[in-house]
Amino acid sequence: MSAKEVPGDKYDSVVDLAKRRGFFWPSYEIYGGVAGFYDLGPLGTALKINIVNLWREYFVLKHQDIVTEIETPVIAPEVVLRASGHLDHFTDPIIECLNCGRKYRADHLIEENTGLKVEGYGVEELDRIVKERGLRCPQCGGLLGDVRTFNLLFKTTIGPYSSDVGYLRPEAAQGIFSAFRRVFISMREKLPLGIAQIGRVARNEISPRQGMVRLREFTIMEVEFFHDPEGDDPPWDRFSGKLRVLPAELRQRGGEKPIEIDVIEAIEEGVIKNRWLGYWMCVARDFVRELGIDYGDMFFEEKMPYERAHYSAQTFDQLVRVSRWGWIEVSGHAYRTDYDLRKHMEFSGEDMKVFKPFKEPKVVEVEKVVVDKAVLGRVLGPSLTSFLEVLKNVSVDDVKKALESSGETIAISGFRIPRSAVRIMKELEKVSGTKIVPHVAEPSFGAERLVLVVLDKAYSEEENRVVLKIPKKIAPVKVAIFPLLEREELVRVARKIYADLTALRLTVLYDESGSIGRRYARADEIGVPYAVTVDYQTLTDSTVTIRDRDTRQQIRVSVRDLYEKLLELLDLKLRVS
RNA sequence: GCGGCGGUCGUCUAGCCUGGUCUAGGACGCCGGCCUUCCACGCCGGAGAUCCCGGGUUCGAAUCCCGGCCGCCGCACCA
């Protein structure tokens, strides 16, 4: 039985089904709705939970030796996002040309056209300058609109004081970086260490579109995988093989077709710049495949440097083909290097370095920064303490660099101190290891997008009936129980089976209304993989039929074996290979 | 954010141009009853619509006008 190819309006059918049967719909509909927010209904919630758990299976449970999971708050104090760079990269004063619609950074526009330094100016001040100077659009000479801020972070206040600014996190990562030391210690201080987090994040998108694809608030599933770039190889025996990849260099030359390349080869040839990034892409490939997406409908597109986030040295988006919008991003794979930990070290003053033992201890000549506190005390006075605190996190190289500049005084981390108060000393030391800042490879998924992708992929129409061919493992309802007819003797048996299967923790649907055909159709429409029917034969020999959603074939099993048989069919039976 | 198109029971839709006959019609779905021994059967009954929201024009607005919200498409934007 071949599924009819559903044409271009398939997405509409999916959305329609989602609303009718309770997968998802726009939030706050009774008030007209708000763009970028969606509710998950009963079935959507169940489906999402199953998808999330499958993700957990791939990224956490199959990697329990190297990945652990934590949970951190949705709200972050300002300093965290200042440290991470999100405040700088997410809050821009923007001005738009009223004539041609081009958008500019207001501060850059002013600096380039007037020579004024306006860094740190507020919106009103920038707006005033633009108006006073009569600045026009540099492209078309058109009139400019008002200066506005352009901020993708949702802002709030923590506690009763408006000065305590907080933001809804735009990614789960910053909570992980902030907690890195604690987790590292509780995981007995070993690298590599993956820290996973599943949670809600919010991004105040300018104009969210594409329904469930681009949300202002969604569930992110990510792993920050901390490792030594020179450390051991990933466990290639678990996940490896070919990836479909479209490298940036190829895109630059107009290439649109991904190449197929073995992950290890891709790393050796420098196509993928970090081994763990490549490894997690393999895991992502297999995870998404188990959601029902074929290899051919999925590939990894490398982002151009200007497309990347500020923290990323290389990014691949995992794209999946859906009916209405073509290729959409379901996951991002970023090589964040040691950027985030370094930034948090700098802002918090905490040492996030990790001790990396040498194979054998060695005696080396080390350089140390030595300061003359007597001299400094006279110059800096009470701020000496804070200077010494800051100095702990300044590298020897940075001090050297400062010493290279000319003048009586030198600048270190914003402090001006006499050159004579600082010198570099060399001494011999026995060292058994070194301290490194771990590097991070980050796979990151949007859960709601996956819900949409699964439904879009699973939706099919056969003989005017809708069948949702959701992979059995993630189907929100696993089994439907029907009495063939609404007769007391059949109903009694069917209800008993329903109660038994429910007690065994299967998600079960019981339905006795309408004809048997209608009930099969209703179950097909929400993707129930198996339907168990109690008929008159059941009353004589205690057997029931199990009907397969996709083939409509029925098999007959005894009620006693039903549970085991269903587990087997649903591929839920656990075993070691 | 700009431009185009659109918004009527849960869903799809009739009605809008040409204002009143609309207490807004139908189909599907849903609920109840009858019937029925396996794939949306049939019959009977029922519930279900702020006609997206607000304002205006008019004796009278689902219908005409304005503003807003939401959606789709294009542009712009997009960690």
Side-chain angles (χ1 to χ4, degrees):
Chain A
M1 189 164 316
S2 71
K4 192 180 101 192
E5 263 306 307
V6 187
D9 59 347
K10 177 178 177 180
Y11 174 79
D12 287 330
S13 308
V14 171
V15 170
D16 174 60
L17 174 71
K19 279 189 184 176
R20 270 190 301 112
R21 299 305 307 268
F23 283 95
F24 60 79
W25 54 76
S27 298
Y28 312 113
E29 263 185 310
I30 60 167
Y31 294 105
V34 187
F37 296 93
Y38 267 75
D39 291 350
L40 287 173
L43 290 172
T45 303
L47 177 58
K48 179 179 151 187
I49 287 171
N50 292 344
I51 290 172
V52 167
N53 281 333
L54 189 67
W55 182 89
R56 189 175 267 125
E57 186 180 317
Y58 272 83
F59 286 86
V60 182
L61 295 179
K62 285 177 192 283
H63 297 94
Q64 288 176 62
D65 49 338
I66 47 175
V67 178
T68 190
E69 184 178 349
I70 67 165
E71 194 170 305
T72 69
V74 165
I75 294 173
E78 184 162 41
V79 63
V80 171
L81 294 167
R82 190 169 292 293
S84 70
H86 284 89
L87 272 180
D88 291 338
H89 290 88
F90 278 73
T91 316
D92 297 333
I94 287 284
I95 193 161
E96 186 178 356
C97 172
L98 297 174
N99 182 45
C100 67
R102 286 190 178 83
K103 287 195 173 78
Y104 304 94
R105 278 281 294 267
D107 49 350
H108 292 180
L109 187 89
I110 292 170
E111 291 188 4
E112 280 160 24
N113 289 282
T114 68
L116 291 169
K117 289 270 169 271
V118 293
E119 202 180 319
Y121 279 40
V123 175
E124 295 81 7
E125 291 163 290
L126 293 173
D127 195 50
R128 189 173 47 77
I129 294 169
V130 169
K131 299 232 154 56
E132 275 177 12
R133 302 267 176 151
L135 295 181
R136 314 280 286 209
C137 174
Q139 288 293 322
C140 74
L143 276 173
L144 296 166
D146 294 337
V147 176
R148 289 165 308 184
T149 48
F150 186 77
N151 188 352
L152 271 78
L153 294 172
F154 280 101
K155 194 173 185 177
T156 185
T157 50
I158 301 174
Y161 305 107
S162 54
S163 58
D164 290 338
V165 173
Y167 295 91
L168 273 63
R169 61 181 178 188
E171 56 172 8
Q174 298 311 323
I176 294 176
F177 295 129
S178 302
F180 171 70
R181 280 211 322 158
R182 282 247 174 251
V183 182
F184 184 66
I185 290 165
S186 49
M187 296 307 284
R188 297 175 60 191
E189 310 194 26
K190 283 187 295 247
L191 284 185
L193 172 65
I195 305 179
Q197 182 163 202
I198 297 165
R200 290 190 82 88
V201 298
R203 304 172 181 186
N204 202 358
E205 300 282 353
I206 303 149
S207 60
R209 286 268 185 83
Q210 303 175 301
M212 283 266 286
V213 176
R214 196 128 142 241
L215 298 175
R216 286 192 164 119
E217 185 188 324
F218 61 97
T219 300
I220 209 166
M221 307 188 284
E222 55 185 44
V223 178
E224 303 309 317
F225 195 80
F226 299 89
H227 63 280
D228 175 1
E230 289 156 12
D232 293 336
D233 259 335
W236 295 119
D237 55 322
R238 292 185 218 175
F239 294 89
S240 57
K242 292 201 181 303
L243 291 171
R244 279 158 47 81
V245 176
L246 181 58
E249 184 235 352
L250 198 61
R251 287 179 65 202
Q252 191 84 57
R253 289 185 279 131
E256 286 176 359
K257 277 196 175 152
I259 54 168
E260 191 169 48
I261 185 166
D262 185 85
V263 63
I264 294 173
E265 203 179 309
I267 291 163
E268 279 167 0
E269 290 179 9
V271 175
I272 299 174
K273 290 179 182 163
N274 175 282
R275 285 173 295 171
W276 287 99
L277 193 68
Y279 177 78
W280 292 110
M281 283 160 69
C282 291
V283 180
R285 172 200 64 202
D286 290 358
F287 163 63
V288 170
R289 194 181 187 202
E290 191 157 358
L291 296 177
I293 313 301
D294 302 329
Y295 277 136
D297 284 336
M298 167 206 323
F299 74 95
F300 292 89
E301 179 184 75
E302 185 182 357
K303 306 320 282 181
M304 300 290 194
Y306 59 85
E307 295 173 323
R308 288 198 299 252
H310 57 279
Y311 49 68
S312 177
Q314 186 178 37
T315 299
F316 290 90
D317 280 351
Q318 185 178 18
L319 304 182
V320 163
R321 198 203 310 263
V322 293
S323 59
R324 162 91 47 109
W325 293 300
W327 296 98
I328 65 162
E329 175 197 339
V330 296
S331 75
H333 299 260
Y335 178 30
R336 302 180 73 132
T337 68
D338 56 0
Y339 175 87
D340 297 276
L341 286 184
R342 281 198 183 281
K343 291 284 276 185
H344 284 296
M345 278 167 57
E346 182 188 327
F347 276 73
S348 68
E350 295 287 330
D351 181 12
M352 308 257 200
K353 293 202 190 81
V354 161
F355 183 72
K356 177 185 172 185
F358 294 140
K359 294 220 167 65
E360 301 208 343
K362 45 189 169 187
V363 178
V364 291
E365 191 182 71
V366 295
E367 293 181 318
K368 282 187 172 173
V369 178
V370 180
V371 294
D372 187 333
K373 288 181 190 163
V375 175
L376 283 180
R378 281 195 293 277
V379 177
L380 294 175
S383 43
L384 173 61
T385 328
S386 51
F387 173 71
L388 292 175
E389 198 59 38
V390 166
L391 191 63
K392 283 183 193 165
N393 286 319
V394 176
S395 70
V396 175
D397 284 345
D398 286 345
V399 175
K400 273 185 172 170
K401 216 173 282 171
L403 284 168
E404 278 165 19
S405 64
S406 56
E408 279 296 295
T409 62
I410 59 170
I412 295 176
S413 284
F415 289 88
R416 272 242 148 240
I417 52 167
R419 171 182 301 278
S420 57
V422 183
R423 61 202 166 88
I424 309 286
M425 268 187 51
K426 293 185 176 176
E427 40 181 68
L428 289 181
E429 225 176 54
K430 183 184 145 193
V431 289
S432 48
T434 181
K435 283 187 131 189
I436 62 163
V437 180
H439 279 228
V440 170
E442 174 205 68
S444 166
F445 288 78
E448 288 78 5
R449 279 189 185 185
L450 292 176
V451 169
L452 179 71
V453 164
V454 165
L455 290 179
D456 189 80
K457 188 71 197 174
Y459 187 93
S460 71
E461 287 174 8
E462 285 172 15
E463 296 158 25
N464 262 343
R465 308 173 330 148
V466 173
V467 182
L468 263 194
K469 298 188 168 177
I470 301 177
K472 297 165 191 172
K473 200 165 171 179
I474 54 168
V477 178
K478 299 288 193 248
V479 187
I481 312 291
F482 306 139
L484 181 61
L485 295 172
E486 208 178 337
R487 292 273 169 75
E488 167 61 22
E489 62 272 28
L490 298 178
V491 165
R492 195 175 345 109
V493 178
R495 285 191 173 154
K496 173 74 168 76
I497 292 173
Y498 169 73
D500 289 348
L501 292 180
T502 303
L504 290 163
R505 311 263 165 87
L506 279 177
T507 46
V508 196
L509 171 84
Y510 176 79
D511 192 354
E512 60 181 39
S513 92
S515 71
I516 188 73
R518 177 181 297 254
R519 285 177 260 152
Y520 283 140
R522 277 199 284 246
D524 287 344
E525 197 181 41
I526 59 168
V528 182
Y530 295 103
V532 171
T533 302
V534 172
D535 56 18
Y536 284 96
Q537 192 181 331
T538 311
L539 301 179
T540 61
D541 67 1
S542 277
T543 60
V544 290
T545 60
I546 302 177
R547 175 230 190 224
D548 183 289
R549 176 193 68 197
D550 300 332
T551 65
R552 299 215 223 159
Q553 298 299 303
Q554 288 182 318
I555 57 170
R556 191 166 272 278
V557 301
S558 82
V559 174
R560 196 170 356 102
D561 302 332
L562 179 61
Y563 176 65
E564 285 293 314
K565 188 68 191 172
L566 285 172
L567 286 191
E568 192 187 311
L569 288 169
L570 288 162
D571 204 18
L572 292 176
K573 218 163 182 173
L574 301 175
R575 64 184 96 75
V576 286
S577 52

